[in-house]
């Protein structure tokens, strides 16, 4: 059992909102399936859906590796991610590929995954996530180029019209990666 003093104000407000939603649906909050649901949903939203608002891209990318030799392209593929569509509050799941052309700063590979989570764990569009990630790499690493490609499956597409299996691919390219098809090909190749 969670001590109520360790529950954040946001989590408490979310639990109250979920409880109100269930009541608005004319559901019995004492039914065995729903006992504890407001608290469980609030915890999930606080830690996995909205936690990106508490993350700082500058801090994530602040632990730099300096003094390495020239690196042409750094790519981390298949970063699992999920987000919440702001239009329907329906989840999407996917995989991100993040790449950048370093100038004189490198960052640990795990930091790129943390950056993806920073921007996906918000109410946001998949397209915006790609833009935010590429922009953060340019700004905080002074990269010569940056890119993010995300492939996602959106429940807001699958549930209403049963477009099962529909995948959405979005991409953002900045700097040299925007103008160099050879590097774009390396970014999206599976080899």
């Amino acid at each position: 059992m969670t001590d109520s003093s360790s529950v954040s104000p946001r989590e408490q407000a979310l639990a109250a909102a979920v409880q109100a939603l269930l009541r608005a649906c004319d559901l019995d909050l004492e039914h065995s399936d729903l006992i504890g649901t407001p608290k469980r949903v609030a915890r999930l939203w606080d830690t996995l859906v909205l936690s990106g608002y508490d993350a700082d891209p500058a801090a994530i990318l602040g632990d730099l590796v300096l003094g390495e030799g020239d690196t042409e392209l750094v790519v981390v593929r298949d970063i699992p991610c999920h987000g919440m569509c702001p239009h329907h509050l329906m989840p999407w799941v996917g995989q991100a590929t993040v790449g950048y052309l370093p100038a004189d700063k490198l960052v640990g590979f795990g930091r790129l995954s943390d950056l993806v989570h920073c921007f996906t764990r918000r109410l946001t569009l998949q397209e915006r996530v790609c833009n935010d990630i590429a922009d953060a790499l340019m700004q905080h690493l002074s990269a010569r180029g940056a890119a993010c490609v995300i492939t996602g499956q959106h429940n807001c597409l699958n549930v209403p019209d049963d477009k099962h299996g529909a995948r959405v691919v979005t991409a953002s390219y900045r700097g040299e990666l925007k103008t160099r098809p050879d590097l774009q090909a390396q970014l999206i190749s599976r080899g």
Side-chain angles (χ1 to χ4, degrees):
M1 187 69 110
T2 305
D3 177 11
S4 63
S5 65
S6 67
V7 177
S8 72
R10 178 168 66 190
E11 195 172 326
Q12 290 174 16
L14 286 166
V18 171
Q19 191 172 43
L21 174 66
L22 295 173
R23 280 196 183 113
C25 294
D26 201 26
L27 297 173
D28 177 8
L29 294 176
E30 298 304 316
H31 188 279
S32 61
D33 290 345
L34 298 178
I35 293 175
T37 295
K39 289 180 182 178
R40 282 191 298 274
V41 172
R43 171 64 47 109
L44 180 129
W45 271 67
D46 195 38
T47 59
L48 295 177
V49 177
L50 301 174
S51 62
Y53 291 113
D54 300 327
D56 177 11
I60 290 169
L61 297 174
D63 189 16
L64 300 173
V65 178
L66 301 173
E68 295 298 318
D70 288 342
T71 300
E72 184 60 20
L73 182 62
V74 176
V75 178
V76 177
R77 290 187 173 82
D78 301 326
I79 300 169
C81 59
H82 65 270
M84 190 69 69
C85 165
H87 300 142
H88 301 98
L89 297 183
M90 297 283 285
W92 60 270
V93 295
Q95 293 185 326
T97 296
V98 178
Y100 70 101
L101 287 168
D104 60 350
K105 301 172 187 170
L106 297 174
V107 69
F109 302 136
R111 296 300 182 146
L112 298 179
S113 179
D114 294 342
L115 187 65
V116 169
H117 295 150
C118 167
F119 289 115
T120 56
R121 293 181 180 178
R122 302 173 182 205
L123 298 180
T124 190
L125 303 173
Q126 182 176 318
E127 300 93 327
R128 186 176 302 131
V129 170
C130 288
N131 288 333
D132 290 344
I133 290 169
D135 290 341
L137 291 167
M138 293 296 288
Q139 178 183 358
H140 301 295
L141 294 183
S142 302
R144 297 182 348 251
C148 179
V149 178
I150 297 178
T151 302
Q153 289 191 293
H154 292 250
N155 281 341
C156 59
L157 283 178
N158 293 336
V159 172
D161 296 323
D162 287 329
K163 296 176 186 172
H164 298 291
R167 295 183 317 144
V168 176
V169 178
T170 55
S172 294
Y173 300 98
R174 301 290 187 270
E176 289 180 39
L177 274 166
K178 190 170 189 132
T179 60
R180 290 191 50 193
D182 61 318
L183 294 178
Q184 290 175 15
Q186 286 182 45
L187 184 79
I188 60 175
S189 77
R190 301 311 288 168

